[in-house]
């Protein structure tokens, strides 16, 4: 009996272990595909939740939501079954206690919030649930946090605070002190300012003839506006002389100090992500360079290898070597005078092509030159296409002797430089073909699309200055940090955008009505929709009308620019979060890319500098 009981226990644990592994994408191919499906469904359903806030699309893609909820429910059940095998919730064999711990954990609560509202809405159609339908839809956006299970980001913030605790306390105290002082000074300067006029702000109790004193009614109002100014942005400039004096000293003394806490958060987050990434990269060979892929590895292997002989004989070998040295120079970096002159000529033609595209888009210049067929721009275009086409053909021909092309015409054709060279002429040939077939008319808007493609010839400058061809290396060099930092930036953007939509959708500060409707009536409605029910088509909302619109404004805010600031108090709290921490955290992916670009290009490898110091 004891043996049978032990066997049963082992069988139960095997079920739990396999469930745990399957839910976390460990082991089998099916588990990995299921994990990928979860990734895709999270992104798809979040996107659908955003789209459904747009008028006319409220009930779109309902079948996708059904499918996603079923899959998310299945995932949750599998995770619940596998909890005893999860080291995070292992409770020495107590299956009930470990599952209770799992149910109240962060990820479990997020999972439940992502699916339970759907079942509640289906169980009670037409009930009180309809009054909160919009809020319940927004809960779907919490599904983004499910990705944190696979790419830790938000859950690392407590680690960041512990890492930078002492510095954050000191910098936070200094920043808060300056914030409070300048807020008081700005309040004293503006709370009686009835001279500088502003737009109507009914949320602040003013329907018409509003002035700055309506914005600065109390000290807390001043704290909010001062917080925005301390980010370095001044969306409000209609101050009197005393407030301008305060703003001047804010720019000089306070902005830099107040930005330190957000900078510390950002640097701490980057430190933690980099340390985790270094642990993962511990098995990489010493001769690997940041961002290397198959091309760089193969190129290093060919450093002391001569090009293969042509199958067409030694004469073709000689021609290929001569053309390669003419276009790319000799291996020692020298060029003949003819080769150097050709290089300057190609560079000039590229620059003139970009200038021609810009000038041709100016109606006055186009009319002066004459926009009929055979004008100067057309002739210059034919000349440029001939030059670029000849260059492309010659590069294909000599690629078997070009080490940068890995001694292969195919490699040249499918990598960055070959694709750019191909695109420099292909649109012109396509335009001529479709025009000859009568599919489009010469000079039409459709034909203009092909002409605008010429602007991409600027990428041919990559032959002269290395930049874009290294971007794929940059992404690979920083992909570990980018995943986590990018997810956190996405969560901040979408999360704050959704909150702005919820809090500001019906803010009367963004409402306009027909002149026949008095301001008191216009701003008196609870929502713009209610206003339109009473006065069809005469009421509009200029901002935060749906989540895509709110995401646009939030993207601008995260760039440090505050195009609108007269929020409700809940909206002000979201705004202040972005000012204090959100903007700094959101900027981490861009900073990571720049750091990696420096490493890839060999200008600013911090790790090398640290090694030199240790030596």
């Amino acid at each position: 009996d004891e043996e049978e009981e032990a066997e049963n226990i082992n069988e139960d644990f095997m079920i739990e272990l396999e469930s745990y592994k399957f839910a976390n994408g460990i082991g089998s191919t099916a588990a990995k595909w299921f994990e990928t499906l979860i990734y895709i469904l999270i992104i798809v359903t979040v996107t659908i939740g955003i789209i459904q806030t747009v008028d006319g699309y409220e009930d779109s893609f309902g079948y996708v939501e059904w499918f996603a909820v079923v899959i998310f429910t299945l995932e949750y059940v599998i995770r619940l079954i596998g909890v005893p095998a999860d080291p995070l919730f292992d409770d020495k064999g107590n299956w009930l206690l470990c599952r209770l711990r799992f149910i109240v954990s962060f990820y479990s609560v997020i999972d439940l919030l992502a699916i339970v509202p759907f079942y509640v809405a289906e169980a009670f159609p037409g009930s009180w649930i309809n009054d909160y339908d919009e809020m319940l839809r927004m809960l779907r956006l919490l599904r983004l946090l499910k990705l944190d299970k696979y790419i830790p980001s938000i859950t690392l913030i407590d680690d960041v605070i512990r890492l930078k605790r002492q510095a954050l306390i000191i910098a936070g105290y200094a920043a808060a002190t300056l914030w409070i002082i300048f807020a008081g000074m700005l309040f004293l300067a503006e709370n009686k300012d009835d001279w500088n006029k502003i737009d109507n702000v009914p949320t602040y109790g003013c329907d018409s003839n509003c002035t700055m004193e309506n914005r600065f009614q109390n000290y807390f109002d001043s704290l909010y506006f001062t917080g925005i100014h301390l980010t370095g942005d001044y969306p409000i400039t209609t101050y009197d002389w005393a407030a301008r004096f305060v703003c001047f000293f804010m720019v000089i003394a306070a902005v830099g100090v107040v930005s330190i806490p957000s900078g510390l958060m950002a640097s701490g987050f980057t430190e933690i992500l980099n340390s985790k990434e270094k642990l993962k990269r511990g098995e990489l060979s010493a001769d690997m360079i940041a961002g290397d892929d198959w091309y760089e590895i193969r190129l290093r292997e060919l450093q002391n290898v001569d090009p293969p002989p042509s199958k067409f004989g030694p004469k073709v070998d000689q021609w290929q070597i001569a053309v390669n040295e003419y276009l790319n120079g000799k291996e020692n970096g020298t060029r003949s005078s003819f080769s150097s002159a050709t290089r300057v000529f190609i560079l000039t033609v590229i620059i003139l092509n970009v200038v021609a595209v810009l000038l041709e888009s100016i109606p006055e210049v186009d009319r002066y030159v004459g926009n009929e067929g055979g004008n100067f721009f057309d002739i210059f275009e034919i000349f440029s296409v001939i030059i670029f086409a000849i260059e492309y053909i010659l590069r294909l021909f000599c690629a078997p002797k070009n080490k940068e092309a890995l001694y292969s015409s195919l490699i040249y054709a499918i990598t960055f430089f070959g694709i750019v060279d191909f695109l420099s002429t292909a649109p012109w040939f396509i335009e001529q073909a479709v025009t000859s077939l009568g599919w489009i008319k010469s000079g039409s808007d459709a034909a203009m699309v092909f002409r605008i493609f010429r602007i991409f010839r600027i990428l041919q400058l990559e032959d002269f200055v290395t930049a874009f061809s290294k971007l794929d290396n940059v992404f690979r060099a920083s992909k570990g940090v980018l995943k986590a930092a990018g997810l956190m930036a996405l969560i901040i953007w979408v999360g704050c955008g959704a909150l702005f939509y919820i809090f500001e959708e019906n803010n009367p500060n963004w409402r306009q009505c027909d002149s026949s409707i008095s301001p008191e009536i216009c701003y008196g409605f609870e929502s713009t929709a209610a206003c339109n029910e009473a006065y069809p088509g005469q009421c509009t909302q200029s901002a935060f009308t749906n989540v895509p619109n709110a995401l646009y404004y939030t993207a601008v805010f995260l760039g440090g620019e505050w195009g609108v600031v007269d929020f409700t108090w809940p909206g002000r709290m979201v705004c202040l979060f972005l000012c204090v921490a959100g903007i700094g955290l959101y900027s981490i992916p861009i900073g990571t890319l720049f750091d990696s670009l420096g490493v890839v290009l060999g200008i600013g490898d911090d790790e090398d500098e640290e090694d030199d110091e240790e030596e």
Side-chain angles (χ1 to χ4, degrees):
D1 293 339
E2 289 180 1
E3 289 180 2
E4 288 181 9
E5 186 177 346
E7 286 179 8
N8 291 334
I9 292 173
N10 287 334
E11 287 179 8
D12 291 342
F13 182 74
M14 285 303 298
I15 293 172
E16 293 163 349
L17 179 62
E18 290 302 317
S19 298
Y20 166 74
K21 290 166 68 177
F22 184 81
N24 289 280
I26 301 171
S28 68
T29 303
K32 293 175 181 176
W33 276 107
F34 185 74
E35 185 179 57
T36 302
L37 176 63
I38 296 296
Y39 281 144
I40 295 170
L41 286 178
I42 289 171
I43 299 299
V44 168
T45 54
V46 166
T47 304
I48 289 173
I50 291 170
I51 293 172
Q52 287 180 336
T53 63
V54 180
D55 288 342
Y57 293 89
E58 292 86 353
D59 299 316
S60 300
F61 309 106
Y63 57 92
V64 178
E65 179 65 14
W66 256 107
F67 175 74
V69 168
V70 170
I71 296 299
F72 289 148
T73 305
L74 178 63
E75 180 208 16
Y76 187 80
V77 171
I78 293 173
R79 286 190 182 279
L80 190 61
I81 293 171
V83 166
D86 189 339
L88 291 174
F89 303 101
D90 181 25
D91 210 313
K92 297 182 175 64
N94 191 327
W95 63 270
L96 178 60
L97 187 59
C98 68
R99 286 191 169 95
L100 287 175
R101 286 176 56 201
F102 167 75
I103 290 171
V104 298
S105 67
F106 174 79
Y107 292 127
S108 173
V109 172
I110 294 300
D111 287 341
L112 291 174
L113 287 174
I115 58 178
V116 169
F118 177 86
Y119 289 118
V120 174
E122 291 296 321
F124 303 100
S127 65
W128 58 271
I129 295 295
N130 287 355
D131 297 334
Y132 301 94
D133 180 63
E134 201 167 75
M135 191 74 70
L136 293 174
R137 285 175 185 269
M138 289 299 96
L139 287 176
R140 296 179 195 172
L141 301 186
L142 290 174
R143 290 171 185 169
L144 269 180
L145 294 176
K146 286 166 64 69
L147 290 174
D148 198 86
K149 282 183 288 197
Y150 310 101
I151 310 171
S153 56
I154 294 294
T155 48
L156 294 179
I157 289 179
D158 59 330
D159 298 331
V160 174
I161 293 173
R162 283 195 297 272
L163 177 67
K164 299 289 184 178
R165 179 174 174 272
Q166 195 60 39
L168 278 172
I169 291 174
I170 297 170
Y173 171 74
T177 301
L178 288 172
W179 185 12
I180 291 169
I181 291 172
F182 280 108
M185 295 169 68
L186 204 58
F187 171 68
L188 291 174
E190 287 298 316
N191 78 314
K192 299 298 183 184
D193 182 1
D194 58 0
W195 174 255
N196 287 302
K197 302 292 183 183
I198 64 172
D199 293 335
N200 295 342
V201 281
T203 302
Y204 306 156
C206 179
D207 295 339
S208 60
N209 298 318
C210 305
T211 61
M212 287 291 284
E213 69 176 353
N214 297 113
R215 278 185 172 140
F216 290 84
Q217 297 179 37
N218 53 58
Y219 181 78
F220 295 102
D221 290 332
S222 184
L223 268 177
Y224 161 65
F225 289 113
T226 305
I228 292 175
H229 292 332
L230 288 172
T231 66
D233 190 39
Y234 281 76
I236 302 172
T237 56
T238 53
Y239 289 117
D240 64 12
W241 69 268
R244 292 180 183 184
F245 191 70
V246 173
C247 288
F248 173 77
F249 280 99
M250 267 202 287
V251 172
I252 293 177
V255 172
V257 175
V258 172
S259 66
I260 291 175
S262 61
L264 285 169
M265 288 286 290
S267 66
F269 194 84
T270 304
E271 276 184 49
I272 288 174
L273 289 176
N274 279 328
S275 64
K276 290 179 180 292
E277 190 62 19
K278 286 176 184 176
L279 288 175
K280 289 182 182 179
R281 293 202 312 251
E283 68 274 9
L284 292 179
S285 60
D287 62 344
M288 288 288 285
I289 298 173
D292 279 358
D293 71 344
W294 64 272
Y295 174 83
E296 284 77 19
I297 295 170
R298 180 62 180 148
L299 183 60
R300 280 200 299 275
E301 292 172 354
L302 293 175
Q303 284 308 304
N304 298 313
V305 177
D306 294 327
S310 171
K311 62 182 180 180
F312 298 107
K315 194 66 176 178
V316 174
D317 276 330
Q318 293 175 8
W319 292 344
Q320 287 177 329
I321 291 171
V323 172
N324 181 53
E325 290 182 353
Y326 168 64
L327 290 175
N328 303 304
K330 298 178 182 180
E331 282 206 30
N332 60 11
T334 61
R335 287 177 176 271
S336 67
S337 57
F338 186 44
S339 173
S340 298
T342 302
R343 184 175 170 83
V344 173
F345 172 71
I346 294 291
L347 173 62
T348 304
V349 173
I350 292 170
I351 294 172
L352 289 176
N353 265 265
V354 174
V355 173
V357 173
L358 299 177
L359 291 177
E360 194 177 8
S361 67
I362 302 173
E364 292 81 4
V365 175
D366 194 36
R367 283 195 298 269
Y368 177 78
V369 173
N371 51 19
E372 68 279 354
N375 62 44
F376 169 78
F377 289 123
D378 288 343
I379 295 171
F380 180 66
E381 173 65 5
I382 294 171
F383 170 76
S384 301
V385 167
I386 292 171
I387 297 298
F388 294 141
I390 291 173
E391 182 197 15
Y392 181 64
I393 292 169
L394 289 176
R395 288 190 180 279
L396 280 172
F397 173 72
C398 73
K401 298 297 182 285
N402 181 8
K403 192 174 292 180
E404 296 293 327
L406 305 186
Y407 299 141
S408 167
S409 296
L410 176 62
I411 295 298
Y412 163 73
I414 64 174
T415 48
F416 180 85
F417 292 110
I419 293 170
V420 168
D421 289 342
F422 175 77
L423 291 176
S424 68
T425 59
W428 185 85
F429 289 109
I430 295 172
E431 179 188 1
Q432 301 310 306
V434 295
T435 303
S436 300
L437 293 170
W439 294 352
I440 65 172
K441 292 182 179 180
S442 180
S444 64
D445 290 341
M448 182 59 69
V449 172
F450 290 101
R451 290 177 175 269
I452 295 300
F453 264 103
R454 288 179 292 173
I455 200 72
F456 289 103
R457 288 175 184 167
I458 195 172
L459 293 175
Q460 289 183 291
L461 293 174
E462 190 77 13
D463 278 326
F464 305 89
V465 181
T466 300
F468 283 95
S469 59
K470 290 295 184 182
L471 284 183
D472 58 334
N473 301 62
V474 171
F475 278 105
R476 281 192 299 274
S478 55
K479 66 180 180 181
V481 177
L482 275 180
K483 282 181 186 176
L487 175 60
M488 185 177 62
L490 180 66
I491 290 172
I492 289 172
W493 178 43
V494 174
C496 291
L499 290 174
F500 273 127
Y501 168 67
I502 292 169
F503 299 143
E504 303 299 319
E505 178 191 11
N506 294 306
N507 184 346
N509 288 349
W510 325 124
R511 188 181 304 159
Q512 295 88 35
C513 296
D514 187 81
S515 57
S516 61
I517 305 174
S518 68
E520 292 80 7
I521 295 175
C522 175
Y523 302 137
F525 289 100
E526 289 187 1
S527 67
T528 305
C531 181
N532 275 315
E533 285 181 10
Y535 300 94
Q538 298 185 57
C539 311
T540 58
Q541 195 82 357
S542 62
F544 307 103
T545 52
N546 49 55
V547 173
N549 181 267
L551 287 175
Y552 162 72
Y553 279 101
T554 307
V556 174
F557 300 156
L558 286 167
E561 298 293 330
W562 295 91
V564 292
V565 291
D566 293 315
F567 300 116
T568 60
W569 265 109
R572 287 181 174 188
M573 294 297 100
V574 180
C575 170
L576 288 176
F577 163 74
L578 293 180
C579 291
V580 172
I583 293 174
L585 294 173
Y586 183 80
S587 65
I588 291 175
I590 301 300
T592 300
L593 283 175
F594 276 107
D595 288 344
S596 296
L597 180 62
V599 172
V600 168
L601 296 180
I603 48 172
D605 191 339
D606 294 335
E607 294 179 16
D608 287 348
E609 291 175 7
E610 291 172 5
D611 291 341
D612 291 342
E613 289 175 5
E614 289 174 3
E615 291 175 3

